[in-house]
Every structure is written in structure tokens, then in C-alpha cells.
Amino acid sequence: MKLVLDKKDRVADGVVLLTLRRPDGGPLPAWTPGAHVDLAPAGGPVRQYSLCGDPADTSAWKVAVLREAGGRGGSRHVHDVLAEGQHVEVSEPRNHFELVEAKRYLFIAGGIGITPVLPMIAWAQAAGRDWRLVYGGRTRSSMAFRAELERLAGVEIHPQDECGLLDLDAVLGRPSPGTAVYCCGPEALLLAVEQRCADWPSGSLHVERFSPKTVAAQSFSEEFEVELAQTGTVLRVPAGRSVLDVVQAEGVPVLSSCREGTCGTCETVVLDGVPDHRDSVLTPEEQESGDVMMICVSRSRSTRLVLDL
């Protein structure tokens, strides 16, 4: 859908907050905490950003964008080119970082990883839930939404130049049954949190990645077949080509965006066979079930997969 950039505000060093509305002022689709959208500004690359406003406000969507000097150009385009009043192509919201029901919530955010956590905290606060936020960043001035968060009880601000790295052993050293841990931030933080949650009850940890995680080399055959259940068509997926590439070349309409296993757009139902999951979206439990796969990166452990396409 085409939205107009209504406001562009600086909310921290190197971070701008975009407020997007329908040109006709009409309501936007509903979304839930943890959701993200694709932004495709004219002349700029498609990128995914977490919605960080109020889900109850259907008049506008808000996303915060960190300028990444070493990135691929998406954030530079937003900061340097995209201007108020311009129209932007924006996808429907998708959510692979949904809040689950829990007795209490522990939120851990690093840098711009605070964005999907903001509406989660607002929901937990309004619902009277037990929650805690541990928020780390390089400096106070680089931490988006810090001032408003500091007014809330349960928020711990840890600028690295003042406090050093987050003491994750103190935060996660003792498993807490009934606590749902939500973490978003740089890959080093996510890996460190995953390591410390290894002994927590299954399903406790929920993470969202900005970039694909490193997947160890697999011993499974690189060539396999996919059967498209809706037509009975059988296609060969050779080494070096993704399932997504093969089925789209056959003319099968499959939505996709990132093509690196981080956005969840190409999630496809698996009817038979054993996927070789290489995405950064599904939880270990979801991967173990084998019910769905991200066909832009994941492959097969079996000689044939039957997909609901």
C-alpha cells in the first residue's frame, strides 16, 4: 500500500522516527506488538522495520531507523533522501515475534533492538503484567526512546561507555520458570543471550534478528525435489538455487522480501518431508515440528518435500 511520510523526527543520535499515514487519512490495518513491515521507498531498497507505535492508533504507523554506516544503503536512503510528504510503498504487518502468554516478561534490548519491544512494554504495563526491561546501548544519546522509558519502573538503562557490556550472567544466570524472555539487538547480544538461556525451560526465549544468523554447513544432499501439492508438479532444486527461485521460475506466485531468512514473508506449509531449516525466524521448537519453512534459504533433509503450493 502507498503511505505518505507525515513526520520525520530525530529520536537519538543516528536514529529517525518515521510517522506514516494513508494519503486519504483512512485507518491502517491492525497489528500486534512485535510486528514489522517492509518499506520500499521510491529509488531505495526494500527493508524490514519493526512497528514501534501504539497498535490501538490506526491513523498512523511508526518505525525507527538507525543510520548504519556499514549497511547496504537502506538506512542511508531513509536518512538522506526520504522526506516528509513523500509516498512510500509499505507492506501489510507480519509478526514472527508475537508475545506469548506468560507469568512475567523479561525484555532485553540492544540499540535499535528496542523498537519491537516498545509496544510490548506498553501492553504489559497496561495489562498490569510483571515485566522488566534491560536496555543496553553505546551511549545514552544513542539510545532511542531512552527518556520516555526512564520514567517507567522496571526499566534498567545501561550505556556501554558508562556501565560496560550488559551483565547477562546476572540477568539470566538463574532459570526462571514462567518467564518469557524477549530479546532483539545486534547478533553478538542475541548469541550471548541464547547461550545463557540454554538451560532455561524450553520455549522461554524469543529473539528477533536484523540479519541472518550463521548456519553451520549441513551434510544433507544439496539436490532434492519439491512437489507442489496444489498442482502435483514436481521440481528439482539443484545445488546453488533456492526453493523460492525454482518455484518462482515455474511461475508460482510466492510472496518474498528479504531472501535471507529473516523477514518470514515466504513462509510455506510443509505437508511431507523433512526441512533443513536455515532461517533466522522460526524458534527451535517450530523448526523441530517441521510444519513450515522459509523457502528462500531452507532446504531439505529428505529427497523430496511436499509443499502447500
Side-chain angles (χ1 to χ4, degrees):
M1 73 187 81
K2 285 283 188 182
L3 301 184
V4 64
L5 176 56
D6 184 53
K7 291 183 180 179
K8 183 177 178 181
D9 301 309
R10 179 179 174 275
V11 292
D13 290 348
V15 181
V16 292
L17 179 68
L18 309 182
T19 301
L20 301 155
R21 302 182 188 275
R22 284 190 184 275
D24 62 4
L28 291 163
W31 58 281
T32 54
H36 69 269
V37 294
D38 297 346
L39 257 64
V46 178
R47 294 290 183 267
Q48 292 77 42
Y49 298 106
S50 297
L51 291 169
C52 60
D54 179 2
D57 181 6
T58 61
S59 69
W61 284 345
K62 295 184 178 183
V63 298
V65 181
L66 169 68
R67 183 186 182 95
E68 297 188 66
R72 295 171 294 173
S75 65
R76 291 196 300 274
H77 185 92
V78 168
H79 278 253
D80 299 341
V81 179
L82 190 59
E84 292 179 359
Q86 289 186 348
H87 286 72
V88 185
E89 189 69 33
V90 185
S91 72
E92 296 275 340
R94 297 187 300 276
N95 200 341
H96 290 276
F97 200 39
E98 291 262 16
L99 276 174
V100 299
E101 184 63 33
K103 291 181 179 178
R104 64 193 69 85
Y105 297 90
L106 171 59
F107 303 111
I108 302 174
I112 199 63
I114 191 62
T115 52
V117 174
L118 283 176
M120 294 181 176
I121 289 173
W123 174 87
Q125 183 84 350
R129 299 301 182 95
D130 183 359
W131 64 273
R132 173 189 180 193
L133 168 66
V134 180
Y135 179 18
R138 291 181 292 103
T139 64
R140 286 186 183 272
S141 62
S142 72
M143 300 173 73
F145 311 106
R146 173 185 54 81
E148 63 191 69
L149 286 168
E150 284 180 325
R151 293 194 290 266
L152 300 176
V155 173
E156 302 168 23
I157 303 293
H158 296 270
Q160 186 176 341
D161 63 339
E162 300 175 23
C163 312
L165 295 174
L166 293 178
D167 187 353
L168 295 177
D169 289 327
V171 176
L172 298 166
R174 179 177 299 177
S176 176
T179 298
V181 181
Y182 280 80
C183 181
C184 186
E187 185 64 14
L189 173 65
L190 299 184
L191 291 174
V193 169
E194 286 176 333
Q195 291 170 358
R196 287 161 176 81
C197 285
D199 295 329
W200 282 54
S202 177
S204 297
L205 177 60
H206 309 264
V207 302
E208 182 164 70
R209 285 180 154 84
F210 298 134
S211 57
K213 64 183 178 183
T214 301
V215 178
Q218 304 291 324
S219 60
F220 310 112
S221 171
E222 282 296 316
E223 184 172 308
F224 57 95
E225 294 179 340
V226 291
E227 178 181 338
L228 310 184
Q230 295 177 20
T231 63
T233 303
V234 176
L235 304 173
R236 184 175 64 87
V237 182
R241 293 194 71 193
S242 69
V243 177
L244 177 64
D245 287 340
V246 170
V247 298
Q248 286 186 333
E250 187 68 13
V252 179
V254 180
L255 292 176
S256 65
S257 180
C258 72
R259 292 182 175 265
E260 58 184 15
T262 58
C263 74
T265 307
C266 68
E267 180 178 311
T268 301
V269 173
V270 179
L271 300 176
D272 195 22
V274 183
D276 171 15
H277 295 289
R278 303 185 183 189
D279 67 274
S280 304
V281 178
L282 300 174
T283 66
E285 293 77 18
E286 289 169 333
Q287 291 186 345
E288 183 65 26
S289 73
D291 295 332
V292 297
M293 64 184 290
M294 306 303 157
I295 61 174
C296 64
V297 292
S298 296
R299 301 186 69 78
S300 181
R301 300 188 182 198
S302 52
T303 57
R304 178 178 289 194
L305 289 174
V306 180
L307 304 179
D308 188 16
L309 291 173

